[in-house]
């Protein structure tokens, strides 16, 4: 009986273990590579938050009914004279400063649809933009490719 339980547990644990390994060896390196490419080929812009969505808010009443959705924002940004609209989930553990609507945005200069929105770097006004860029570069010089 004990041997049978061990075999069942082994089978139950094999699938989650494979998923975890796939995440660490396939998915995570892919996203880290994408971020490194954007950082290496970056231009700066200001992301202007249009709408904020609380956790689960975006999924309510959606096509498939209730569900979960991450906390996210709709925002717009201007790059090389063209305006873009995008959505980004908020991955900051502490949230972000909700009193500010503008944040530093790293945009891939060859593909403006690829970006990194930096909620840790709020831009309080247009004259503050260059100071925020300097602070970002100073604090992240060790992470530069």
């Amino acid at each position: 009986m004990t041997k049978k339980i061990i075999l069942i547990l082994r089978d139950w644990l094999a699938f989650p273990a494979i998923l975890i390994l796939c995440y660490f060896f396939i998915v995570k390196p892919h996203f880290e590579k994408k971020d490194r490419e954007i950082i290496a080929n970056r231009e700066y812009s200001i992301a202007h938050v249009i709408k904020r969505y609380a956790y689960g808010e975006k999924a309510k009443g959606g096509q498939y009914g209730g569900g979960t959705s991450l906390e996210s924002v709709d925002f717009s940004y201007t790059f090389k004279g063209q305006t873009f609209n995008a959505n980004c989930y908020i991955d900051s553990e502490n949230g972000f400063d909700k009193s500010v609507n503008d944040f530093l945005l790293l945009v891939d200069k060859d593909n403006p649809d690829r970006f990194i929105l930096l909620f840790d770097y709020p831009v309080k006004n247009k004259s503050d933009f260059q100071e925020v860029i300097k602070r970002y570069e100073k604090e992240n010089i060790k992470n530069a490719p």
Side-chain angles (χ1 to χ4, degrees):
M1 183 71 172
T2 309
K3 190 173 186 179
K4 194 175 204 181
I5 292 172
I6 291 173
L7 291 174
I8 290 171
L9 285 175
R10 184 194 69 190
D11 292 341
W12 280 11
L13 296 175
F15 184 69
I18 290 170
L19 287 177
I20 291 169
L21 289 173
C22 285
Y23 171 76
F24 282 110
F25 290 107
I26 297 171
V27 176
K28 188 175 179 194
H30 169 74
F31 285 108
E32 288 174 352
K33 179 182 176 205
K34 178 186 163 217
D35 287 351
R36 283 193 307 271
E37 289 172 355
I38 293 170
I39 291 169
N41 202 28
R42 73 185 174 274
E43 290 276 335
Y44 298 102
S45 186
I46 297 174
H48 178 71
V49 174
I50 300 167
K51 180 160 175 57
R52 292 177 171 86
Y53 298 97
Y55 177 80
E57 179 181 356
K58 206 169 181 182
K60 290 179 184 170
Q63 181 179 2
Y64 302 107
T68 61
S69 68
L70 298 173
E71 188 177 4
S72 65
V73 294
D74 288 340
F75 66 95
S76 66
Y77 61 100
T78 303
F79 185 71
K80 295 184 180 178
Q82 192 174 4
T83 301
F84 297 88
N85 291 314
N87 180 280
C88 182
Y89 78 94
I90 301 167
D91 65 352
S92 177
E93 293 177 10
N94 301 323
F96 62 97
D97 186 355
K98 292 181 169 87
S99 67
V100 179
N101 283 332
D102 297 327
F103 298 91
L104 185 62
L105 183 73
L106 305 181
V107 182
D108 186 328
K109 60 179 133 182
D110 296 329
N111 183 357
D113 291 326
R114 291 175 38 156
F115 55 81
I116 300 172
L117 180 51
L118 301 171
F119 290 106
D120 297 337
Y121 294 91
V123 179
K124 300 199 187 299
N125 53 49
K126 301 279 186 203
S127 61
D128 187 38
F129 182 52
Q130 291 302 322
E131 291 300 318
V132 173
I133 290 172
K134 288 178 187 174
R135 184 169 59 96
Y136 167 77
E137 288 179 347
K138 181 181 175 190
E139 292 173 0
N140 292 286
I141 195 71
K142 64 183 176 295
N143 298 328

